[in-house]
Amino acid sequence: IINQKNLLEVQGYLEQAVREIRSLIYQLSPPILDDFDIEIALGFLIEEMNAKHGSSFFYTNNIKEPMSLDQAVKVTLYRAVNELMTNTLKHSGTKDGEIDVSFINEKMVIRVEDHGSGFDVDTIKRSESHGFGLHSLSERMENFGGKIQLESNPGDGTIIHLIIPITQSKENEYEKS
């Protein structure tokens, strides 16, 4: 027999499921990336993470001109920075960090740095179970012709560079001929 109490309970579960699905969709492809360039969206992400986790990530945007990036690249970079910040909060023993974005030699470079516990890069590279997130991130960057550079030592913190080549638009190529 279905009664009012059971229906309200089911309704509560359904509403919770809808909220969680919306949250997952937002995390997979945040709507902010539809409206803003990656360097602006990263600023919002960092503010949101700082407010949510009581962290102090300091952000510097060194890009002066808007960057034209494919949506898939923007999503990958956004999710990568989110993942790196989350890793810092979970594993480094600190809630502080620095993130900056620059355009250097036809490449977008995003630096994510913390002064936490650090780790042995060689051990992570040799391990099959640990560092899977970094390996996966490296593969995602390579899919777009990019790469990840990792510098870390136990006790010295971590610096990660996400590097993506920026190709010029067809309009600019025709203007040169």
Side-chain angles (χ1 to χ4, degrees):
I1 297 175
I2 296 177
N3 61 31
Q4 185 73 16
K5 181 181 176 191
N6 291 345
L7 285 176
L8 289 174
E9 186 176 341
V10 169
Q11 181 180 356
Y13 289 133
L14 289 173
E15 288 172 355
Q16 179 181 352
V18 168
R19 283 192 300 275
E20 289 177 13
I21 289 169
R22 285 183 178 150
S23 176
L24 287 172
I25 290 170
Y26 178 84
Q27 290 172 20
L28 289 173
S29 184
I32 193 167
L33 294 174
D34 296 333
D35 301 325
F36 295 98
D37 292 323
I38 186 65
E39 61 273 17
I40 303 300
L42 289 176
F44 286 116
L45 170 65
I46 293 162
E47 284 180 22
E48 181 181 309
M49 289 286 280
N50 283 340
K52 182 177 180 181
H53 298 284
S55 55
S56 297
F57 287 95
F58 181 75
Y59 179 60
T60 304
N61 176 5
N62 296 310
I63 295 182
K64 305 300 179 220
E65 299 293 323
M67 309 285 337
S68 178
L69 295 177
D70 181 74
Q71 186 70 8
V73 173
K74 285 170 57 172
V75 169
T76 298
L77 291 172
Y78 185 94
R79 290 177 62 198
V81 171
N82 188 11
E83 184 175 334
L84 293 173
M85 290 173 65
T86 300
N87 285 349
T88 296
L89 294 170
K90 283 184 181 177
H91 304 296
S92 75
T94 186
K95 289 186 171 190
D96 302 336
E98 301 166 23
I99 299 168
D100 61 55
V101 59
S102 303
F103 183 66
I104 304 168
N105 298 327
E106 304 300 316
K107 294 177 179 75
M108 176 176 280
V109 179
I110 300 173
R111 178 182 62 90
V112 179
E113 180 174 354
D114 70 65
H115 302 286
S117 59
F119 55 90
D120 182 2
V121 174
D122 291 332
T123 301
I124 292 293
K125 287 181 179 177
R126 286 191 306 264
S127 171
E128 291 183 22
S129 60
H130 297 290
F132 178 74
L134 290 174
H135 178 72
S136 173
L137 176 57
S138 180
E139 287 181 341
R140 285 180 276 158
M141 295 297 292
E142 289 171 8
N143 286 339
F144 297 105
K147 63 183 177 180
I148 181 173
Q149 291 179 340
L150 179 61
E151 303 168 36
S152 188
N153 289 301
D156 288 338
T158 302
I159 302 172
I160 298 177
H161 290 95
L162 304 172
I163 304 166
I164 291 279
I166 305 297
T167 55
Q168 295 182 333
S169 69
K170 297 287 184 198
E171 292 174 9
N172 290 341
E173 289 178 21
Y174 292 127
E175 289 172 10
K176 288 181 180 179
S177 14

